[in-house]
Amino acid sequence: QVQLVESGGGLVQAGGSLRLSCAASGRTFSSYDMGWFRQAPGKEREFVAVIRRNVLSTYYADSVKGRFTTSRDNAKNTVYLQMNSLKPEDTAVYYCAARPSLGGLHTEGGSYNYWGQGTQVTVSS
């Protein structure tokens, strides 16, 4: 069992930055791949980024590539999403999610076993 708690959301102007954190419980955090997803009002949940357990492998949605960076600190059981050059279309509830690391970089939300409660990010124009 893994419990995830996101933090760091808020209101920011377009062009600004935010860093989201996702703290995980349990001693097996390093065995999980961690994903970030978001859901805007009236839209389906979409993949944002994923980082493998080994920290070396990451993958991003085209819409955030070059602006967002995910990282993790396995000693602190925490994964991060640094968001720069934010746009109004980045406004959404952001979720972190965990899945056992079995190979590959997974972008489908259904393949993740554990989810946080989400944190709101609002970007004003």
Side-chain angles (χ1 to χ4, degrees):
Q1 187 80 7
V2 176
Q3 293 185 322
L4 304 172
V5 179
E6 301 100 334
S7 61
L11 173 64
V12 63
Q13 288 188 332
S17 298
L18 282 175
R19 188 176 82 154
L20 305 184
S21 299
C22 173
S25 65
R27 294 178 292 178
T28 59
F29 175 73
S30 61
S31 66
Y32 288 87
D33 294 342
M34 300 299 296
W36 288 96
F37 294 80
R38 66 186 182 186
Q39 188 166 20
K43 295 188 177 181
E44 293 188 353
R45 182 179 62 195
E46 65 174 353
F47 166 77
V48 175
V50 58
I51 183 166
R52 292 288 311 278
R53 59 174 290 190
N54 63 10
V55 185
L56 299 178
S57 299
T58 57
Y59 182 75
Y60 299 90
D62 288 343
S63 58
V64 306
K65 199 171 297 182
R67 300 188 298 122
F68 291 11
T69 303
T70 187
S71 60
R72 65 191 291 167
D73 185 338
N74 287 338
K76 296 183 177 180
N77 281 12
T78 302
V79 62
Y80 305 97
L81 184 68
Q82 178 66 45
M83 306 185 295
N84 298 329
S85 303
L86 282 161
K87 305 175 181 180
E89 51 263 43
D90 294 319
T91 296
V93 177
Y94 283 72
Y95 300 89
C96 65
R99 67 183 306 276
S101 185
L102 301 174
L105 289 161
H106 293 269
T107 65
E108 327 84 53
S111 70
Y112 287 77
N113 303 81
Y114 305 103
W115 292 80
Q117 83 289 349
T119 186
Q120 176 70 47
V121 171
T122 303
V123 184
S124 63
S125 57

